[in-house]
């Protein structure tokens, strides 16, 4: 081994650090779990210091593993991706977190959005940002912290307040500076590829407290920690779903991926102009590599997927764990009339119903855990089909590239192909970490541009649809009727 790439994936439930060779083949990996806290209904938080420690430990572990194999090996480029819309506040002088991380699932900012809606600001926000008023995005969360947290108010008064997404927190604490990238900025609802002064004014977010927006890929500084054997050249930084877009090889216009994790996030590469989309989809920056124009994507998110299977197994006790739940789903041919609305954190695109809650319906005395398990997988597949059907109105979707832990389920892959009506093709299970490393290779000049990433991305087996269009139209229509009724409960 000689020069290596490192992808650091700061996801919702865990941090993964994966070292790759220059052909993007995994060499070593490490994982550190992170806890989610639910202090009140609708609130979802993480401890910023715990998240930082998880990053440090995962990187320490994977670097140690590499050193044991080859003491001369060096990391040529590191890429960091993160959980997008989650935010926190900290003090610039002391470096300590002033608030928990308010995650992307958190709904506390609904009161801020209701106020803006009552003031008639919703349409202006949508026009300027391309996004609806929804607590999913960062702007409302930041406004809530500014309105309600005394420590935030005091730091603002003292001129030491920093507000940012998790990437800027990690980089600030680990020596790479207080900065973020255009893909992250595009998830805040505060403008992209640059901060929008009018949106900052509407949400009441001070520009001076926000990070600088620099390239996604390029010379972004150095990450360092006393427990690491060497400093890391940071050459890429972006949102986790944009990293997964790169890691799935969707680096040219028209390619579409879906990443199955806590939620499912569908992104389609949209080219170098901001896409004009409707149907509840939103435009988002894919990345901006040094010397290249901004590249855009079309985005749609399912907020509850893996979290649904965890909840059904761990909290309701329907199975020992999600794999056991998947196995149970494979024991029945259908759901026996059971329907599940996967809305434990509201509903995203194309419905945008933040008030929606999870629903299990159609129960009879003959319902067994396997039927509920099957209905849960069907629900995830139909929610993704909701989005891919809308994406198909803007671009041709001839195959859906998929990654993430849930793609180990052959049951889900077949249900997804049938519901979406297109072949489903697997890529790397950890496409997110791979994408961060691939973008870092571009940022370091090891690969010429982002289009070259596709040359290094292997693709796996295809799952073909078994159902015809008539079945799909009928069943998708029935699903939509169920959503409309259940989302209002």
């Amino acid at each position: 081994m000689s020069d290596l790439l490192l992808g650091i994936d700061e996801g919702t439930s865990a941090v993964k650090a994966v070292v790759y060779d220059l052909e993007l083949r995994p060499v070593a990996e490490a994982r550190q779990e992170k806890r989610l806290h639910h202090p009140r209904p609708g609130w979802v938080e993480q401890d910023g210091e715990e998240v930082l420690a998880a990053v440090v430990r995962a990187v320490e572990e994977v670097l140690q593993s590499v050193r044991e194999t080859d003491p001369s090996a060096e990391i040529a480029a590191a890429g960091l991706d993160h959980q997008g819309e989650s935010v926190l506040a900290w003090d610039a002088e002391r470096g300590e977190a002033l608030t928990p991380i308010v995650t992307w699932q958190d709904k506390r900012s609904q009161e801020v959005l209701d106020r803006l809606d009552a003031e008639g600001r919703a349409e202006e926000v949508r026009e300027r940002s391309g996004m609806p008023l929804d607590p999913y995005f960062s702007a409302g969360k930041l406004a809530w912290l500014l309105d309600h947290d005394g420590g935030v108010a005091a730091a603002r008064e003292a001129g030491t307040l920093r507000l940012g997404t998790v990437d800027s927190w990690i980089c600030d604490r680990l020596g790479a500076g207080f900065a973020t990238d255009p893909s992250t900025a595009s998830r805040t609802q505060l403008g992209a590829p640059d901060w929008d002064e009018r949106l900052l004014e509407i949400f009441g977010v001070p520009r001076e407290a926000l990070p600088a927006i620099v390239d996604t890929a390029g010379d972004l500084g150095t990450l360092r920690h006393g427990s690491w054997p060497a400093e890391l050249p940071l050459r890429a930084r972006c949102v986790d779903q944009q990293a997964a877009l790169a890691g799935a090889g969707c680096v040219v216009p028209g390619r579409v991926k879906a990443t199955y994790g806590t939620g499912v996030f569908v992104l389609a590469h949209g080219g170098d102009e901001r896409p004009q989309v409707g149907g509840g989809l939103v435009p988002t920056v894919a990345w901006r590599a040094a010397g290249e124009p901004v590249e855009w994507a079309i985005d749609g998110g399912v907020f509850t997927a893996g979290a649904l299977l965890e909840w059904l197994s761990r909290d309701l006790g329907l199975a020992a764990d999600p794999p056991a739940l998947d196995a149970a789903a494979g024991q029945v041919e259908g759901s026996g009339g059971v329907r599940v609305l996967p809305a434990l954190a509201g509903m995203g695109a194309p419905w945008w119903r933040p008030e929606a809650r999870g629903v299990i319906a159609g129960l009879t005395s003959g319902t067994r855990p396997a039927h509920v398990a099957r209905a849960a997988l069907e629900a995830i597949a139909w929610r993704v089909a909701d989005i891919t059907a809308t994406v198909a109105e803007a671009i041709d979707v001839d195959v859906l590239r998929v990654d993430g832990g849930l793609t180990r389920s052959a049951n889900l892959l077949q249900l997804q192909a049938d519901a979406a009506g297109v072949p489903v093709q697997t890529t790397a299970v950890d496409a997110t970490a791979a994408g961060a490393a691939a973008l870092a290779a571009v940022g370091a000049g090891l690969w010429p541009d982002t289009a070259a990433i596709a040359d290094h991305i292997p693709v796996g087996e295809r799952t073909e649809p078994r159902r015809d269009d008539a079945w799909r139209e009928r069943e998708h229509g029935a699903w939509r009727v169920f959503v409309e009724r259940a989302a209002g409960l």
Side-chain angles (χ1 to χ4, degrees):
M1 291 185 290
S2 54
D3 287 346
L4 300 171
L5 305 172
L6 172 63
I8 307 169
D9 172 25
E10 189 276 318
T12 303
S13 59
V15 174
K16 289 176 286 186
V18 186
V19 171
Y20 301 88
D21 65 18
L22 293 186
E23 289 304 314
L24 217 59
R25 293 179 295 235
V27 172
E29 60 184 88
R31 177 185 176 96
Q32 290 286 328
E33 301 292 329
K34 299 186 297 162
R35 294 177 296 174
L36 288 168
H37 305 282
H38 304 268
R40 300 185 189 179
W43 290 29
V44 189
E45 299 177 349
Q46 290 181 319
D47 182 284
E49 295 292 344
E50 183 179 333
V51 169
L52 183 66
V55 171
V56 169
R57 288 195 301 270
V59 171
E60 179 185 3
E61 182 180 335
V62 78
L63 293 181
Q64 182 62 34
S65 178
V66 170
R67 284 295 177 94
E68 290 174 356
T69 303
D70 182 357
S72 66
E74 294 185 357
I75 302 298
L80 169 69
D81 71 77
H82 66 102
Q83 52 177 304
E85 301 75 13
S86 304
V87 299
L88 74 161
W90 65 100
D91 187 276
E93 292 184 351
R94 299 192 304 274
E96 64 184 27
L98 299 171
T99 70
I101 295 171
V102 181
T103 76
W104 56 271
Q105 304 130 306
D106 192 280
K107 303 301 179 187
R108 74 187 68 184
S109 63
Q110 188 62 54
E111 65 177 72
V112 174
L113 308 182
D114 289 342
R115 183 183 73 236
L116 293 177
D117 192 23
E119 293 172 355
R121 304 288 183 86
E123 188 55 35
E124 183 179 4
V125 169
R126 184 187 290 271
E127 288 180 359
R128 299 189 76 92
S129 70
M131 303 169 181
L133 283 177
D134 192 276
Y136 172 53
F137 302 110
S138 307
K141 305 179 201 300
L142 294 173
W144 191 95
L145 292 175
L146 288 160
D147 287 346
H148 292 277
D149 193 283
V152 170
R156 183 177 186 181
E157 180 67 23
T160 61
L161 176 64
R162 285 187 172 171
L163 298 169
T165 43
V166 182
D167 62 322
S168 56
W169 158 252
I170 292 170
C171 290
D172 196 26
R173 287 290 299 271
L174 296 181
F178 183 43
T180 190
D181 88 300
S183 77
T184 303
S186 72
R187 308 310 300 160
T188 65
Q189 205 167 40
L190 293 174
D194 302 300
W195 300 123
D196 183 300
E197 293 297 333
R198 176 58 180 155
L199 290 171
L200 294 176
E201 179 185 359
I202 289 172
F203 285 97
V205 177
R207 170 65 185 85
E208 63 273 13
L210 293 172
I213 301 175
V214 301
D215 286 339
T216 304
D219 186 349
L220 307 181
T222 302
L223 297 174
R224 62 181 69 89
H225 190 269
S227 69
W228 298 347
E231 296 182 346
L232 299 175
L234 182 65
R235 297 297 178 261
R237 171 177 46 212
C238 64
V239 176
D240 51 6
Q241 298 312 316
Q242 277 82 335
L245 188 72
C250 298
V251 290
V252 294
R255 287 189 181 170
V256 186
K257 71 88 187 174
T259 299
Y260 295 72
T262 301
V264 183
F265 296 90
V266 180
L267 265 71
H269 194 294
D272 58 7
E273 294 185 4
R274 174 172 162 169
Q276 302 300 314
V277 295
L281 301 179
V282 298
T284 188
V285 172
W287 43 71
R288 184 177 68 200
E292 298 181 10
V294 168
E295 296 178 54
W296 290 84
I298 300 170
D299 171 82
V302 178
F303 297 160
T304 304
L308 174 67
L309 305 186
E310 288 280 0
W311 176 71
L312 288 172
S313 55
R314 180 192 61 228
D315 297 324
L316 293 194
L318 296 189
D321 51 30
L325 198 73
D326 175 58
Q331 295 171 4
V332 292
E333 293 185 2
S335 66
V338 177
R339 292 272 195 188
V340 174
L341 184 68
L344 300 181
M347 293 186 69
W351 304 90
W352 293 111
R353 301 284 290 273
E355 76 285 356
R357 296 294 179 262
V359 174
I360 302 176
L363 303 177
T364 70
S365 61
T367 299
R368 297 294 180 265
H371 296 110
V372 179
R374 170 82 178 204
L377 294 183
E378 290 177 352
I380 294 169
W382 283 121
R383 281 293 290 116
V384 173
D386 288 338
I387 297 171
T388 57
T390 310
V391 170
E393 296 174 6
I395 62 174
D396 291 332
V397 181
D398 57 0
V399 65
L400 180 64
R401 294 189 173 187
V402 300
D403 66 275
L406 295 187
T407 61
R408 295 185 178 95
S409 168
N411 295 323
L412 179 59
L413 295 181
Q414 188 60 62
L415 288 169
Q416 190 62 81
D418 289 341
V422 295
V424 170
Q425 187 166 41
T426 57
T427 59
V429 171
D430 287 327
T432 309
L439 288 167
V442 175
L446 300 171
W447 299 347
D449 51 34
T450 54
I453 293 174
D455 298 333
H456 302 271
I457 300 297
V459 293
E461 296 181 358
R462 288 165 60 112
T463 301
E464 300 288 338
R466 295 176 180 172
R467 302 285 193 167
D468 60 23
D469 290 341
W471 175 90
R472 189 169 304 107
E473 183 176 354
R474 181 179 67 253
E475 293 300 318
H476 203 170
W479 164 256
R480 292 187 178 106
V481 171
F482 166 68
V483 171
E484 288 290 354
R485 293 175 176 174
L489 294 177

